Amino acid sequence: MRILGLETSCDDTGVAMYDSTEGLLAHRLYAQTALHADYGGVVPELASRDHIRKTLPLIRAILKAARTQPQKIDGIAYTAGPGLAGALLVGAALGRSLAFAWNVPAVAIHHMEGHLLSPMLEPDPLAFPFLALLVSGGHTLLADVRGLGDYRILGESLDDAVGEAFDKTAKLLGLGYPGGPAIEQAAQQGVPGRFHFPRPMTDRPGLDFSFSGLKTAVARVANNSPDDQGTADMARAFQEAVIETLVIKSRRALEQTGHTRLVAAGGVSANRVLRARLADMTRSLGAKVFYPRPEFCTDNGAMIAYAGYLRLRAGHQEPRGFAVRPRWRIEELDAIKS
Ligand code: KG4
Ligand code: ZN
């Protein structure tokens, strides 16, 4: 089975071709980072317009790179939500129309399901069930993953998502956008222990998160225009606070559920310190952590093509019409019997 995957939910245009026997045949990403950089965040209308410009040329490039004629494609998967309405509509309209023209099934993918399944693209195979820690610019959640489409949220952020906290804190510290990689880099020069920020909600039971207070705590000390070293020290302390919080809650969730496999995915899971700490924590519990390769932690078409393959294989497909769902809880998906 050969699936074309389209991801246009936010500021990255991702296109990929996945083959069930040969694996990932080709993937391309066009990141709009430069377009939005001046605004310090994603401007939805600009994002939609750029997806319109980039998606078709990327599809052509993927067909060529994967040496695939449209007749050899068995289905098209597109991200239908959650995300920016206009941006989602570009991928959904294009994906649904191409599927109609090529007479193949189309399948609408939940963006976070794409992230959640992305470690399955790696050589070390991972099977259901597992615990998932999904950390991106829009979401922070711990989910009990029992099978395809069968997800129960155990904890989530009550305010800012982790990636959002990285982005806002980076802006505050004058480190640029996107904030995650900028903070990770600055933190390498930071002296440990110069600042200490709270580990929100770790002192009480439960698996929910709250990150907006952390940003405020940084703002309070960043007030008196720090030098480069001071900024690096704050970046380090912020990153430590976030990572320790994520590790504590993930550990708690593993202990509560009895899962021995943890998936960490979404943009923030590209963070090398987080990856190392989760590896240490899972090892100490006799469990194992699985990640996507760093380039597939952030948004990409490969995870959508792969999720599309699993769903099409299970007989899922969309009717002729299509819709997008800018707000869409992952628990609303139906379990797929394999
Ligand atoms: O999954 P993603 O590409 O898009 C969403 O679905 O939101 O995640 C983007 C988020 C941004 O907030 C970005 O700052 C964060 O992931 N991020 C990181 C790192 N790389 C990206 N956060 C921490 N450390 C990183 N290395
Ligand atoms: Zn994402």
Side-chain angles (χ1 to χ4, degrees):
M1 219 182 214
R2 198 165 279 199
I3 312 296
L4 176 68
L6 308 179
E7 156 62 39
T8 66
S9 67
C10 190
D11 59 344
D12 293 307
T13 317
V15 180
M17 189 82 72
Y18 180 82
D19 184 281
S20 54
T21 48
E22 294 172 48
L24 193 61
L25 298 179
H27 62 94
R28 292 275 192 288
L29 186 84
Y30 176 78
Q32 302 177 353
T33 320
L35 178 70
H36 304 287
D38 287 348
Y39 305 93
V42 179
V43 184
E45 180 61 21
L46 294 182
S48 316
R49 292 182 196 190
D50 224 26
H51 286 308
I52 291 173
R53 275 192 288 269
K54 293 297 186 314
T55 315
L56 256 186
L58 280 180
I59 293 174
R60 285 204 191 91
I62 285 294
L63 289 174
K64 200 163 166 209
R67 298 169 199 275
T68 301
Q69 305 296 320
Q71 303 88 290
K72 284 206 200 141
I73 292 176
D74 300 294
I76 300 181
Y78 57 86
T79 305
L84 302 171
L88 289 165
L89 276 168
V90 178
L94 204 50
R96 192 65 199 85
S97 312
L98 279 177
F100 180 69
W102 293 345
N103 198 25
V104 294
V107 59
I109 301 299
H110 189 291
H111 180 79
M112 298 313 289
E113 178 175 74
H115 277 304
L116 187 150
L117 301 171
S118 59
M120 293 185 179
L121 285 160
E122 301 310 317
D124 192 4
L126 158 78
F128 297 115
F130 52 83
L131 176 76
L133 171 70
L134 300 181
V135 277
S136 72
H139 295 84
T140 305
L141 50 96
L142 276 163
D144 183 0
V145 176
R146 297 174 230 179
L148 185 65
D150 195 355
Y151 314 125
R152 192 162 59 94
I153 295 177
L154 303 173
E156 60 193 320
S157 181
L158 305 177
D159 41 56
D160 291 356
V162 199
E164 191 180 357
F166 268 98
D167 294 336
K168 287 179 176 171
T169 303
K171 196 170 176 179
L172 199 89
L173 295 175
L175 289 171
Y177 175 86
I183 289 198
E184 181 174 2
Q185 206 189 349
Q188 285 170 6
Q189 266 66 55
V191 178
R194 289 275 301 278
F195 294 96
H196 183 85
F197 298 122
R199 276 61 175 153
M201 298 180 72
T202 52
D203 57 351
R204 65 193 93 161
L207 296 168
D208 285 333
F209 304 91
S210 163
F211 290 106
S212 66
L214 206 46
K215 169 196 66 198
T216 317
V218 178
R220 217 171 288 132
V221 288
N223 251 342
N224 32 10
S225 40
D227 57 10
D228 285 355
Q229 188 58 53
T231 301
D233 296 345
M234 276 184 256
R236 179 154 187 149
F238 166 81
Q239 183 173 271
E240 279 299 318
V242 170
I243 290 176
E244 201 183 327
T245 304
L246 293 174
V247 171
I248 290 172
K249 296 279 166 134
S250 303
R251 181 187 186 109
R252 207 178 272 177
L254 283 170
E255 286 168 346
Q256 279 181 17
T257 56
H259 280 305
T260 53
R261 290 181 292 265
L262 169 69
V263 157
V268 181
S269 71
N271 188 291
R272 276 161 292 192
V273 184
L274 174 64
R275 291 165 88 96
R277 296 286 171 78
L278 286 174
D280 291 345
M281 180 274 285
T282 45
R283 205 175 305 118
S284 75
L285 287 181
K288 192 167 178 209
V289 61
F290 296 80
Y291 318 98
R293 71 190 80 167
E295 63 181 314
F296 291 160
C297 286
T298 44
D299 293 347
N300 64 86
M303 66 185 194
I304 303 304
Y306 183 73
Y309 156 62
L310 291 187
R311 285 188 165 266
L312 281 169
R313 188 182 68 174
H316 226 237
Q317 58 172 286
E318 302 312 313
R320 286 256 169 101
F322 69 92
V324 296
R325 296 183 65 176
R327 287 179 174 275
W328 189 6
R329 275 177 77 77
I330 199 168
E331 284 176 314
E332 292 171 31
L333 293 170
D334 290 325
I336 305 281
K337 296 207 177 61
S338 53

